[in-house]
Amino acid sequence: MAEAVVGSLLQKIGSALVVEPVKTTCSFLNSEACAMHNFFDEMKDIQEELETIQGFLHEAERFSETAANIKKFIQEIRRVAFDIEDIVDQFTYKLNEQNRGFVAKTVKRVVHVKTWYTLTRNLRKIKTRLKNIQNRKNRYDTSGIVKRGEPQESGRWRTAEYEHFKMEGDLTGIDENKKKLMDMLSDEESENHVISVWGMGGVGKTTLVTHVYKTVKKSFGGCAWITVSQIWERDQLLRKMLKALHREDPNGINIDGIETKDFLSLVPIIQNYLHNKRYLLIIDDVWTPDVWRFIRVILPEGTAARIILTTRNQDVALLAPEKQIMKVIPLKEHHSWDLFCKTAFKKNNTNTCPEELTLWARKIVEKCEGLPLAILAIGGVMACKEQTEREWKRMWEDLQHELAHNPNIEHVNRILRLSFADLSGNLKNCLLYCGIYQEDHYINAFYLTKQWIAEGFVETSGRRTHEEVAEDYLNELVSRCLLQVHMRDVVERVRMCSLHDIIHSMVVSKSEEEDFFVVYGSSTHSPRGRLRRVSIQNCHLESASNNEYSLRSIFTFSDKISLNSLSIMLRSSKLLRVLDLEGTSIEKLPEEVYNLFNLHYLGLDHTGIKELPKSIGRLQNLQFLTAEGAKITELPNELTKLQRLRVLYFSPTPFGEVMPLKQIWKLKNLRVLGFIKATDEIVRNFETLTKLTRLAISQIRSEHCEVFFTATSKFSHLENLFVRAKYGEVLQLQALNTSASKIVFNGQVERTSVPQFSRSLQYHNSIRELFLYNSGLDENSFSCLQEIRSLRFLALACYEGNELCFHEMSFLMLRELQVWEAPHLEGIEINKGAMPNLEELSIFECPGVKELPRGIEYLPKLKLLELGIPDRTLVERVEKEMTEEQVSEDRMRILRLIKFAQAAHLKGGSTDSELDSDDCGS
C-alpha cells in the first residue's frame, strides 16, 4: 500500500508544482517570492526521491514473505508520505486563503511568507528523515525481494498441487461445471481448443480443473499441468512444462540437463515431443495475457491440442472463444452447507451439525458467501474446536480477526491478497476505499467513482475525463473478480456492486494495517492516532470526539451522530476531502463544514438537512454535492460561486420542489445536474452548460420546449435526459435532436410531435432506454416509435389506445418492455418478426387485458412474462391452459415463464423520486 500512497502523493505534488511559475511571478513581495521558490525547490527534490522509491515499492509489496527490515522500511515510507501529503494540502489551503478577498491583501501576503518558510523547514526535516530511513536499510535492490518472494510462490504452488490428491467424496457442487468443461474438451467441431476457467481467488477453479484433468488425461497422448506465478521467466516456465510432461510420460521425454539449457534449446524438445500428438495442457493461475501469448508461439501447429487456462482476470479469460469461457461462481447455499459439514463434522459418521450449533454454523457459512477456500479453511479449524455454543459464538464474533491472524486459516487472506498485490497503485486505493462501506452494502457505482475522483485516486491522460477513467478502474476491479456486480444497465455498465464478505474482511484488515481507514463501530475500540479515513458504523460518535484526526474522509452509516460531536471532529479535520453524511438525522450542517477548503465531495443524501446557508460559497474546491431525499427546498445563490462543481444533484422530496438556482448557467463545469425546476430565465440560458452528461429538469411548460430542446441538442456529451412536464402542460418534442442513450419523459406528449422525435432518435442511433410516463400516446403515435432499432428498454405508462400492436421487424434490439396503467387497453398483438430479442415483458395494471398477448409465441428469447395485478379472467385462462393436454410446446414454454405479481417492481420505479434517482444518480 505504500506504493499506492506514494503514487497518489506524486499526483498531488505534480498538481502543486503546476502553480509555481504563476504564483512566484505574481508575488509582489521579494520575501514572498523567495520563500515560495525555496518551498518549490524542496518539493521538487522530494518528488524525485519519491519517484525512485516508488519503483522499489512496486516490487516489494508483491510479496508477503518480504524480509522484516524491508517491511519496516515500507511502513516508514508510508508514514513519511502521509506527512508530505499534509504539507502539500496545507500549502494549497494557505495559498487559497491568501487569495480570498481584497481587504488587507498585503497583510495576508506578509503573514503567509512565514507560512512558506515553516512549510519549507518541515520539508527539509522530511528529507533528512528519508535519508536516515535509506541509510538504515542501505539498499534499493529488488533482486533480494524477488528471491524472498519465491517461498510464497512455492507455497501457492503446493496449495494448487494439493487439489490433485482430493478424494471424490471431498468434492461438492462441481458436477454441473464438470460436465460443461468435459463437453468443451470433447467438442471436435471447435477450431480453437483454448478454454478459459475464471473466477475470484479461492472459488474452486483449480479444484474443478484438477478433477476433470484426472478424469480425462488418459485419453490424451501427452499431458502437462503448469502453475504460473505472478512473476514468471520464460526459460523457467519451459523447464516446468518439460518436467510436467515427463511426470506424466517418464519414458516419452528426456529431461536430463534441462537446467543448463536455454530458450533456443528447450523449445525444440517440447515441439518434437508434442508433434502429431493429441495433448492436454493446463496452465493454472494465469495473471496476464502475455503468458498464453508466449506459450502459444512455442506450441507446434496443426495438433489436436486442448489447452485450459485458469485465471482471476477476465482479460485473460477472453483469450478463449466466447462459448469456451466458463466463469466459476461461488457455491450455492446448500452446497456451501454440505461442504462445511463434511469438513467441520468429519468426526461424525453422518457429517451433520448438532442442533445447538446450527445457528452459529449457519452464520459462519453465510459469511463465506459460497467461497470454497474459506469454507474448507474455517471448517477445518472448527473441526478442532470444542462443540459448544459458547466456543462457536466466539469464533463467529472474532471471524474477521481470525482470518487475518489465525495461522490455520490465514492462507485464505494470503491467497486473496495476491489479487490485491497484482493491482496498480491507483487500483489498490480504489479497492481499499470500497471497504469503507459496510459489509453486504450494495454500493452505488455512480457515487463510488465520484468519491474516487474527489480523493485524487483517478489519474487522467489525454482527452479522457476523470469520470471515464474512474469507470475503467471500476470495470478493471470487476474483471479481476474483486468487486461483485449486482446490477447493470442495458448497455452493461455497472450500477450496483459490492465486496464479497471474505474480500471485505481482507480489505478492512489491510486498511487498518496501512492506516488507510478505520471502521469505528460498536465492536471496535475507539480509534487512536493519526487516521486518514473513518467509517462510522452503528455507533454514537461522542466517545471518538476527543481524538486528534488527520482525516481526509468521513463516512457515516449511523443515525446516532450528534451535531456537537460532528463539529468537534471537523474542527481538527481542516484538510478533509470527502464528507458523506448519508442517512444521518442531523437537520443542519455544523459551521465547521464551511471552513473545509479542501472539501471535494459533500454527500447529504437522505439526511434531515433542510437548508444550505450562504456560507456554502466558501467551499471553492467542492466538486460533488448530492442531496437525494434531503429536505432542502431552496438553494442559495452562492452555489454559483463554486466553479469547480461537477455534480449538483437534489431530488424532489415529499416536502416540495427545490426552488430554482438563479444563474445556474454560470456553473460551466457541471457534468450532472438534477433536479432543477425550470423557469423562463433558466431555459433561455441553458445552452452554456455544454459539459452536461446527465440532466433532470421539472416543471417544463409547453412554451419552454422549443428553446430547451434546442439547447440540449447542443450538449454533445449528454447521456441521460429526464424531463417532467408541469401539471396540465404538454411536451412538444419536435425540436429535440439528441444523442443521449437514456431519455425519460414524465408528462403528456404531443402526439403529432412523435414522428419527428422518432426520426431524430433513428438518425443518432444511440438511444438505449426510453421511459414514457403519463405520455397519453395512442395507436398512431406509438407506431412511429417502432422503427427505433437501437432501443433496448422501453417503459410505456398511461397508454391511451385500445390496442397495442407490434408489427413485423419492430424494435429489433429491444430486450425489456414494460406496459402499465393503460386503462383503455384491451389487447396486445405481436406479429411474427417483432421484438426478436425481447427477454422480459411486464404488463401491470391493465384491467382491460383479459388474455395473453396474441402471437407471444413469436418471441424466441423471452425469459420472463410478468403480469401485475391482472384481471381475474386472465388468471383463470392461464391456469386452465396450464392443465390442458393439447397445448403446443411453444405455448407451454410461454406459460412456464409467467409470473403473477400484486405490486409494481418496475425498472426505474413508479414514483418521481425513484425515477429521479435512477436517472441522475445511478
Side-chain angles (χ1 to χ4, degrees), residues 397-451:
E397 292 174 343
D398 294 341
L399 194 53
Q400 181 171 305
H401 180 269
E402 294 285 335
L403 283 166
H405 300 98
N406 188 324
N408 295 313
I409 57 176
E410 189 272 336
H411 68 280
V412 176
N413 223 338
R414 189 179 70 247
I415 288 174
L416 293 177
R417 285 194 183 201
L418 289 172
S419 295
F420 176 80
D422 195 52
L423 299 174
S424 66
N426 286 335
L427 286 175
K428 285 177 180 175
N429 283 325
C430 292
L431 179 64
L432 291 188
Y433 209 78
C434 297
I436 289 176
Y437 288 89
Q438 291 175 298
E439 190 174 88
D440 297 323
H441 186 96
Y442 281 14
I443 306 171
N444 186 311
F446 176 86
Y447 292 122
L448 177 64
T449 53
K450 302 304 177 286
Q451 288 155 4

Side-chain angles (χ1 to χ4, degrees), residues 13-154:
I13 291 175
S15 299
L17 290 177
V18 168
V19 305
E20 177 194 8
V22 177
K23 291 300 177 185
T24 55
T25 301
C26 293
S27 299
F28 60 83
L29 297 175
N30 288 335
S31 57
E32 180 187 18
C34 180
M36 292 184 74
H37 270 304
N38 291 339
F39 176 82
F40 284 123
D41 287 343
E42 296 299 331
M43 187 74 74
K44 288 175 183 176
D45 285 348
I46 284 183
Q47 181 185 36
E48 292 173 1
E49 191 69 30
L50 290 175
E51 287 171 348
T52 303
I53 292 173
Q54 188 182 29
F56 172 84
L57 294 174
H58 179 72
E59 297 300 327
E61 293 189 339
R62 292 169 74 89
F63 303 103
S64 64
E65 303 296 329
T66 304
N69 66 319
I70 296 176
K71 285 185 176 181
K72 178 67 174 175
F73 170 77
I74 293 172
Q75 184 183 55
E76 290 176 328
I77 290 296
R78 185 174 63 249
R79 290 172 180 169
V80 168
F82 285 154
D83 290 338
I84 298 172
E85 183 182 36
D86 285 346
I87 292 175
V88 175
D89 285 345
Q90 287 174 46
F91 167 75
T92 307
Y93 178 83
K94 293 297 183 181
L95 201 63
N96 175 79
E97 190 178 68
Q98 174 182 283
N99 295 333
R100 290 183 197 169
F102 180 77
V103 179
K105 197 167 187 178
T106 304
V107 175
K108 288 183 180 180
R109 287 181 178 275
V110 172
V111 171
H112 282 92
V113 169
K114 183 178 180 180
T115 300
W116 309 146
Y117 280 123
T118 300
L119 293 178
T120 302
R121 282 197 302 272
N122 291 341
L123 282 178
R124 287 171 180 161
K125 290 178 181 177
I126 286 175
K127 282 173 61 178
T128 301
R129 283 173 60 193
L130 277 175
K131 289 178 181 178
N132 291 337
I133 293 170
Q134 293 165 21
N135 290 336
R136 284 196 296 270
K137 188 187 69 68
N138 201 27
R139 59 187 171 87
Y140 283 159
D141 183 15
T142 61
S143 60
I145 300 165
V146 174
K147 187 175 181 180
R148 288 187 178 92
E150 289 173 0
Q152 175 191 347
E153 298 299 321
S154 299

Side-chain angles (χ1 to χ4, degrees), residues 862-866 892-899:
L862 193 67
K863 297 177 181 178
L864 174 65
L865 173 56
E866 192 171 21
M892 185 56 69
R893 175 182 69 87
I894 297 297
L895 293 172
R896 288 174 180 148
L897 299 176
I898 294 175
K899 174 185 175 182

